[in-house]
Amino acid sequence: MIWSRAVLIGGIINISVIGSGYVGLVAGVCFAELGHNVILVDNDRAKYSVLARGECPIHEQHLPKLLARHRGKRLSFSSSLHDAVLASEVVFIAVGTPPANNGEADLSYVESVAREIAGAINSYKVVVDKSTVPVYTSDWVRHVMVLNGAQPDMFDVASNPEFLREGTAVTDFLYPDRIVIGAHSLPTSNLLRDIYRPLCDGSYYQGLSAIPVPQGAKLTPPLIATDTKSAEVIKYAYNAFLAMKISFINAVATICESVGANVDHVRDGIGTDTRIGKRFLYPGIGYGGSCFPKDLSAYRAVAQECGYDFRLLEEVMRINDDQRQRFLHKVRRALWTLKGKRVGVLGLAFKGGTDDVRESPALAIIESLVDEGCEIQAYDPAAGERAREILGTKGVRYVDSAYAAVESADALLVLTEWEEFKSVDLARVRELLRYPIVIDGRNLFDPETMREHGFMYLSVGRPDVPLKEEKVRRQRRRTRHAVRQAEEARPGSRLANITAEL
Ligand code: UGA
């Protein structure tokens, strides 16, 4: 094993990260933040030029600031994997592992990167899987590299799964609950330890420019050193467990709806037990995103290959799919027929705080409503553009505020848990909506407050707030009066149409 002494001086390590998607970009930028020299590699010319221009291609808190801090200093970009590998001791593979048709993870990008790395090795390297991959991937990477000419004693393969959430990826990286390193040998494990040393010994947190500590964060995270297969299992088991928590509470919410119980109280009742915990027990329209749906299918496929029928995972996925259908059923229950109805939508992203719409339950629900003849007015603080690329404009109008989304709509649907939505002016929403109907797929609002504002309010796992017919009549009288006054003040204005409608 040949260690380049120069790279280890002062604890600074030369790293390349292959793939600058969510994981690669955040990891690369954060490695630079920890003091290492990083080359981010991407063969997607468009993405490469966005980064090279100094722009941030994703909506991620703190990322633009860190990119600006390190670009051209410790952080550089390259489209040449070969050159980057030559200049590095540690090469992280962070390319995509999309789902194949049979539910397995498609590892062809990982394989082709492994081939290319093999062709570029000129001195000892540690190659690290950071992409979420099935068990045995590190063995396969090693095998492919040897087949493609890499000397077996000139490299080692390790696994270092990531646990980043979109939207909080930077703080998740810099203030992790733990770091997991899977390696075959102590020197490899120690090299990876060195990369994370500023976090594990707490020196990063003492720096004046450190990204501020998020609430409840652990300082000096534990580092779990294990073998590569255990590290690979950790990542899949972890995502499967989190998804199971969500499907569990969604199933409980369904029971609550049938018996008239309140899932918020049930969550408090069970979540206060520290063995269970309240986090990640929020019911809704189901999980989405680029991780859970793909990773659960892949984990199930891995289990099947190992001869184990992991039916629990199948049920987790089934409950998740059912949540969308159950929500659509609520919309029909509130609006009766859907053809020709105008529906205001808050939220397009798969969750709040991100512009990512991959596997977003919001898009699936909108597609069904458009198929049934609804006209959608949708607002999302960040994901409008990305949603438009997928949904197009047939039946969907993308607007730039929550109030524009609800204007003259027959009902409002809440589909993403953005913090911003919690502070909308409910009285104004009530005035702008054609009918005071809100169907909340994320339980963002308090049912009592919605009742006070005169809404019919349906949420997930909590008792419905029915329509107060008297309040509706009063509101419509008030609206008619206001319209008449406005009409007198501005003859010929757009309000003339509303008067006709009333
Ligand atoms: C998830 C994990 O939380 C990360 O730790 C992991 O590293 C990442 O996958 C990955 O494998 O790369 P992410 O997909 O960014 O992160 O999003 P989450 O915050 O986990 O949310 C996933 C989905 O579950 C969202 O649609 C969200 O709305 C939904 N969710 C979450 C609920 O419906 N209820 C909850 O209580 C929590």
Side-chain angles (χ1 to χ4, degrees):
M1 182 180 317
I2 307 153
W3 292 106
S4 161
R5 290 201 38 79
V7 283
L8 296 175
I9 286 171
I12 297 171
I13 299 172
N14 293 330
I15 295 173
S16 54
V17 180
I18 318 298
S20 56
Y22 267 97
V23 174
L25 181 57
V26 172
V29 171
C30 289
F31 286 143
E33 173 74 356
L34 296 185
H36 305 299
N37 296 321
V38 180
I39 307 174
L40 258 174
V41 181
D42 210 298
N43 59 7
D44 176 342
R45 285 257 155 215
K47 201 183 283 175
Y48 170 72
S49 25
V50 167
L51 288 168
R53 280 201 305 272
E55 294 166 21
C56 183
I58 52 174
H59 180 87
E60 196 62 58
Q61 212 192 1
H62 303 301
L63 197 57
K65 179 170 152 186
L66 293 190
L67 268 169
R69 187 181 285 175
H70 300 299
R71 198 171 68 93
K73 294 169 201 147
R74 292 181 208 145
L75 179 68
S76 58
F77 307 103
S78 171
S79 54
S80 167
L81 183 147
H82 190 272
D83 294 351
V85 171
L86 286 184
S88 311
E89 262 57 39
V90 183
V91 182
F92 282 88
I93 302 179
V95 293
T97 52
N101 290 339
N102 58 0
E104 289 176 13
D106 172 358
L107 297 174
S108 55
Y109 300 113
V110 175
E111 183 179 352
S112 92
V113 164
R115 266 200 305 267
E116 275 193 74
I117 297 172
I121 282 186
N122 62 335
S123 62
Y124 182 81
K125 315 278 175 203
V126 171
V127 178
V128 191
D129 275 328
K130 203 146 189 54
S131 308
T132 300
V133 289
V135 195
Y136 294 120
T137 302
S138 56
D139 288 357
W140 273 107
V141 167
R142 180 167 191 88
H143 181 67
V144 167
M145 287 181 63
V146 171
L147 284 179
N148 285 276
Q151 293 293 323
D153 58 347
M154 288 288 272
F155 73 98
D156 209 349
V157 180
S159 168
N160 173 219
E162 54 80 21
F163 303 99
L164 314 177
R165 289 163 298 172
E166 289 184 21
T168 53
V170 169
T171 44
D172 286 344
F173 189 101
L174 295 170
Y175 295 88
D177 285 341
R178 51 38 201 107
I179 293 158
V180 172
I181 284 171
H184 293 292
S185 71
L186 196 59
T188 303
S189 182
N190 284 344
L191 183 58
L192 290 173
R193 243 177 230 276
D194 284 339
I195 292 179
Y196 289 102
R197 192 168 304 283
L199 299 181
C200 297
D201 68 10
S203 54
Y204 172 71
Y205 308 119
Q206 282 152 21
L208 290 179
S209 62
I211 292 293
V213 192
Q215 216 188 0
K218 272 188 199 159
L219 295 186
T220 64
L223 187 145
I224 297 163
T226 180
D227 57 281
T228 51
K229 290 188 187 66
S230 303
E232 288 163 346
V233 172
I234 285 171
K235 179 59 203 258
Y236 271 151
Y238 160 85
N239 270 359
F241 194 89
L242 288 174
M244 182 182 72
K245 269 190 109 170
I246 298 171
S247 282
F248 180 84
I249 200 69
N250 279 330
V252 170
T254 301
I255 304 283
C256 288
E257 283 175 17
S258 359
V259 300
N262 186 327
V263 74
D264 288 348
H265 302 169
V266 176
R267 186 183 51 249
D268 283 348
I270 61 175
T272 35
D273 188 314
T274 46
R275 289 171 300 175
I276 296 175
K278 283 194 213 168
R279 290 174 72 193
F280 243 74
L281 272 183
Y282 290 91
I285 48 177
Y287 60 76
S290 65
C291 303
F292 288 172
K294 160 178 85 78
D295 291 352
L296 260 82
S297 304
Y299 195 24
R300 195 172 156 268
V302 166
Q304 236 153 16
E305 220 170 279
C306 302
Y308 179 63
D309 187 8
F310 207 154
R311 273 172 293 175
L312 176 62
L313 296 185
E314 208 158 300
E315 196 53 24
V316 168
M317 295 188 266
R318 194 187 62 74
I319 294 171
N320 198 56
D321 290 343
D322 282 357
Q323 283 311 100
R324 297 170 192 185
Q325 296 312 320
R326 295 179 55 75
F327 185 80
L328 284 167
H329 178 71
K330 273 184 200 147
V331 178
R332 284 189 207 100
R333 184 150 65 80
L335 289 178
W336 190 21
T337 64
L338 294 180
K339 196 165 162 203
K341 295 271 161 75
R342 180 178 293 183
V343 177
V345 164
L346 291 187
L348 296 161
F350 81 96
K351 66 171 188 178
T354 175
D355 59 350
D356 196 342
V357 294
R358 285 176 289 175
E359 298 288 331
S360 170
L363 298 201
I365 286 167
I366 290 173
E367 270 173 341
S368 299
L369 293 174
V370 170
D371 282 349
E372 294 198 44
C374 289
E375 272 174 51
I376 308 291
Q377 297 180 159
Y379 169 65
D380 187 287
E385 242 348 281
R386 291 191 178 211
R388 191 199 303 263
E389 285 164 19
I390 293 174
L391 290 177
T393 49
K394 189 167 163 275
V396 189
R397 209 155 62 80
Y398 303 88
V399 295
D400 57 10
S401 77
Y403 303 109
V406 295
E407 194 173 0
S408 308
D410 294 293
L412 163 64
L413 312 186
V414 181
L415 301 184
T416 307
E417 66 275 42
W418 277 97
E419 280 299 310
E420 174 183 325
F421 298 158
K422 289 186 187 163
S423 52
V424 288
D425 176 348
L426 288 170
R428 193 168 163 206
V429 168
R430 172 83 172 78
E431 291 283 328
L432 287 166
L433 274 171
R434 186 169 177 201
Y435 303 119
I437 300 174
V438 176
I439 308 152
D440 184 352
R442 299 294 193 166
N443 287 4
L444 275 199
F445 299 111
D446 167 42
E448 227 13 76
T449 311
M450 297 306 271
R451 188 193 311 277
E452 282 158 17
H453 280 85
F455 287 107
M456 171 186 183
Y457 178 65
L458 310 183
S459 54
V460 185
R462 306 186 294 185
D464 295 345
V465 174
L467 199 62
K468 275 265 171 29
E469 293 182 3
E470 183 42 37
K471 270 200 165 177
V472 176
R473 271 203 300 278
R474 274 208 304 271
Q475 169 69 25
R476 285 182 74 82
R477 270 202 300 274
R478 268 206 308 275
T479 312
R480 259 199 300 264
H481 180 66
V483 166
R484 228 174 282 125
Q485 280 187 328
E487 198 57 22
E488 279 166 19
R490 289 186 288 129
S493 74
R494 193 172 58 83
L495 289 171
N497 305 333
I498 301 176
T499 315
E501 210 178 283
L502 288 167

